[in-house]
Amino acid sequence: MARYTSIKHKEKYYQINCTNEEKGHKLNETNCKLENQSEINFKIHPMDVQMAIFHCADSFLKQLMVTKLSQCQYALPLLVPDPFTQQLEFPLWTFRQINKSWSIKNSKNEIITKTQPVCKAATPMVAFFRFGQVSSSKSQLMSSLINEKHNTFFHRNCKGSSSTRVLMDGVVEISWYCPSGKHTDTFTDCVAFCNLHGDAGANEKQLNILAEMASVSVVLLPQLDRNDKNATKIQKIYKDSTTVICLLDENNSALTEMRKGKYKIGLKDRNQSEVIEELVRAINYGLSFSSTGSCSVFRLEDVARFSDIRVDELDLDDCRMGKEKAQQMMSLLEKTDLTQSKELLLPCQGKLWHQWCQKNKELHQPQGDKTEIDISRKKTDLKKIREQQHASVSSEFIQLFLKEINSLNPDEKMFFLKWLGILLDERTSEDLSALHLKYNIKCSEVLKLKKNHGKPEQLVAVQTELKTISEDLHSANFGLVHILREIGQIYESCSSVKKDKDGLQCHFSSLPGLAAEMMISGFPLELMDGDASHVPLIWVTAVFDELVKKLGNLRVFVLSVLGIQSTGKSTLLNTMFGLQFAVSAGRCTRGAFMQLVKVSDEMKTQLKFDYILIVDTEGLCSPELSGRKTRDHDNELATFVAGLGNLTLINIFGESLAEMQNILQIVVHAILRMKQVKLNPSCIFVHQNVSDITAKEKNMEGKRKLLEELDEMTELAAKDDVCDVQCFKDVIKFDPLDDVRYCAQLWEGNPPMAPPNPNYSENVQDLKETIFYHASQSDVESF
């Protein structure tokens, strides 16, 4: 929506001005100035606004901007001329967090799904150029090729566009077409599309780079004479490129092959749908050369090899240093098998930690026949486990991590942590994809054997293999979260035995301060270990104590979320607060993570608090768990989340409460007990994937039924706990008129090429305002 915001000045002309000294720093009021130039009417081109912000932003804001543009299926800046020196910049760093997923059919007609970082993906590339002035819009043609219902590339016919632009000429944008493996796909494999804005003749360096790397070159041409200044450049592309498609602005001919790999299509007075069909056909002819090996392969990282280009990763000392340090750590990791890495390098969070969690739960579970001797024995066992954790040798991997995190300056540290996360994801993603494929094959074998009533011993053997693959999948997950979990366990074991650990690069008492600094910098921290289903209370308390020391005794509003697996909880929080919690289908978030969001000075007076602590939780009713284990796990998590937040979002897919009914009964029981200790949480029900334009009466009927069900649950819970409570509103702050919200479906179409639905964003913004209203009315505690 922001992309189509019109910026108009009726009386005064303003020019966006950035100084060279301001480049590379965070965007603020001094970075971008609007200087009064003259008294004429004009509009600022929306893409000039985007590029002005891009030029003034620091490396991390640029990366966030590009990542969000990619999520919205918009084109991304690939080559950017400096507005002062015209030096060409390749912002490779900004692409590092972007992954693309697509599905293709193999020779057996099986659908294979791939997920790769865009920097590493090897794909064909189609480059579009324009020479001279033409009446047709190149960017509009490209958008129609990729998704006819979405403007991937901003063009002259988009809302808010203007006839003048300052910062886009010479910019090369890139986008990827990702197929779904269906017969409706325009292209059968992933294809990169590059768009050189402005006259290609005036941007020779960009033209040469794209022409050399492209599998197919598409050239938009006006009527040319023999003496045209661009004739030599056009002839060079025609001669050197394997496949060239000439789009002729003043010609009305259909697709014609002039010679092998050379095509022309007329645009004048022609139906655009027909032109697009012919253009797709011609591009696919060109891409078909890939099967013979003559089609060049494009990798984003390869753009950096061209001379006279400034590559941000190489130009920024802090980025280069952070990458070098992260690569040193990865060299240690590469010496081990991925499925054994955690066990060898992170010993404190393995079996010993899980044993400690189990015994600690047993110690605190109410058992009437428990004697003092039993309690004393369990405490002794807990202490022995802590001593064993403390005695375990700190791996070289952890020692190096602590050394780097303590020695680097703040910017180097941020780059180091970002790079380490990126490199860990790259290393694990390929192996995880292979394991997922093996898992799916074995699942199919199990189902087939059950259906055909196969031999019991054969079924048991395949099920055993399936269990082994499942364990490998769990072991192969290795990220920053596991490194911080290990540091937390090192701290807890050292605190328990009251002694520092041999081999650490720092005193154990400094470890919570490192985690607190990461939280302040915007990194999420694990609150509940998803593997052990346990809160490392000593560690979390110490981190909060350090936050108080660093930030002061500030007021914090806690917002938590609860819901069934894969109902869009993390996506909701990411959209609402600009966070980057992990999202995907399946059990993506494990346990609970917390992230600090600072409240602006402008909002503080309205909201009466300084920070929001966002708590994202794993989904309930996970198919990975089963039977009683699922119920116990879900009950513990629901009670924990409902008691933790000042406000809990109860996320429901659709309008039915059926799946959440048992969980809500547990929550009601828990809240009844919380009232005895004067905890008064509130909740909002969020129904995802429900149109907000349904009749008001229908929504009112749904709210009435919801309240009836909640009142019934409360009445049953009150009888069990012998409480004088009549209805749900007696237990928790809840207004069925204001505290039930509906969100439209996230995607406008079918992924992977579907853009986000603008109605979803509007619904989330309305929900955010409701949350802020609740927050302004609540009594907020300090850390």
Side-chain angles (χ1 to χ4, degrees), residues 688-737:
Q688 296 251 24
N689 216 43
V690 177
S691 174
D692 206 26
I693 58 170
T694 52
K696 186 177 179 181
E697 293 76 12
K698 183 181 176 183
N699 280 347
M700 286 301 298
E701 176 65 12
K703 291 176 181 179
R704 185 188 64 79
K705 286 182 178 178
L706 170 65
L707 192 58
E708 282 181 3
E709 291 181 31
L710 292 171
D711 287 343
E712 286 176 14
M713 292 179 203
T714 306
E715 193 175 347
L716 289 170
K719 285 180 181 177
D720 291 344
D721 289 358
V722 193
C723 294
D724 185 21
V725 170
Q726 303 296 321
C727 60
F728 186 69
K729 287 193 286 184
D730 293 340
V731 176
I732 193 168
K733 293 176 185 175
F734 177 71
D735 182 345
L737 295 178

Side-chain angles (χ1 to χ4, degrees), residues 606-665:
Q606 176 191 338
L607 298 177
K608 299 184 293 189
F609 54 85
D610 306 288
Y611 283 88
I612 304 174
L613 185 69
I614 312 290
V615 180
D616 186 25
T617 60
E618 71 176 73
L620 305 173
C621 304
S622 169
E624 286 100 330
L625 303 172
S626 59
R628 182 172 179 79
K629 191 176 180 181
T630 306
R631 290 196 301 275
D632 291 345
H633 174 271
D634 288 353
N635 293 347
E636 290 168 4
L637 186 62
T639 303
F640 175 69
V641 171
L644 189 67
N646 297 101
L647 175 65
T648 300
L649 301 178
I650 299 176
N651 198 58
I652 299 164
F653 191 79
E655 296 181 80
S656 172
L657 266 180
E659 290 178 310
M660 285 290 289
Q661 222 160 15
N662 294 333
I663 305 302
L664 286 172
Q665 285 178 350

Side-chain angles (χ1 to χ4, degrees), residues 444-455 458-459 462:
S444 299
E445 285 183 31
V446 169
L447 293 172
K448 193 174 179 180
L449 285 169
K450 286 182 176 179
K451 183 180 179 181
N452 298 332
H453 304 290
K455 295 178 181 178
Q458 191 178 0
L459 179 61
V462 177

Side-chain angles (χ1 to χ4, degrees), residues 516-531:
E517 286 176 9
M518 287 181 65
M519 281 194 74
I520 293 168
S521 299
F523 288 90
L525 185 71
E526 188 177 54
L527 178 60
M528 175 189 277
D529 183 335
D531 297 326

